[in-house]
Amino acid sequence: QVQLVESGGGLVQAGGSLRLSCAASGRTFSMYTMAWFRQAPGKEREFVALTRSSGNTDYADFAKGRFTMSRDNAKNTVYLQMTNLKPEDTAVYWCASNSGYRGRTTTQYDYWGQGTQVTVSS
């Protein structure tokens, strides 16, 4: 069983930055694909970014050039550095994980955090 705890959300003005963190339990963190998803009001949950055990990363188009995902295996933690935030980035952001090679769909992830709210004001 893996437990994920997100932190770092909050209120920021457009153009600002936030760094989300996701701390994971478990001894095999380095073997897991870790991902971020988000859900805005009235919309479906969507993929944001992921990092695999190989270090390979993947980003949604809206995240490329603005968001950077990284992982620290020694701390069992992944980060999502978000810059140049826009009002449309307002959403609840979730960290998700699963063992092995995983992709962009929510159904590929068995473990989810509780979510953290990001609000970007214009």
Side-chain angles (χ1 to χ4, degrees):
Q1 188 76 8
V2 175
Q3 292 185 325
L4 305 174
V5 179
E6 302 102 333
S7 61
L11 174 65
V12 65
Q13 289 187 333
S17 299
L18 280 176
R19 188 177 81 157
L20 305 183
S21 300
C22 173
S25 64
R27 294 177 291 178
T28 58
F29 173 82
S30 63
M31 303 303 294
Y32 277 61
T33 295
M34 303 295 297
W36 288 96
F37 291 83
R38 71 182 188 183
Q39 187 169 16
K43 296 187 177 181
E44 294 187 353
R45 194 170 298 191
E46 63 178 349
F47 168 75
V48 178
L50 65 81
T51 175
R52 299 187 178 97
S53 60
S54 62
N56 173 255
T57 55
D58 186 24
Y59 295 93
D61 286 346
F62 66 79
K64 292 178 181 177
R66 298 191 299 129
F67 295 1
T68 302
M69 185 172 183
S70 60
R71 67 191 299 159
D72 184 337
N73 289 335
K75 295 183 178 180
N76 280 16
T77 301
V78 293
Y79 305 96
L80 183 69
Q81 179 69 49
M82 304 186 292
T83 63
N84 191 21
L85 283 161
K86 305 174 181 181
E88 51 264 44
D89 293 317
T90 295
V92 176
Y93 284 71
W94 279 277
C95 177
S97 72
N98 210 345
S99 59
Y101 187 98
R102 303 292 171 175
R104 296 183 168 201
T105 57
T106 58
T107 56
Q108 296 185 62
Y109 295 87
D110 288 343
Y111 305 106
W112 293 81
Q114 81 286 358
T116 186
Q117 176 70 46
V118 171
T119 303
V120 184
S121 64
S122 58

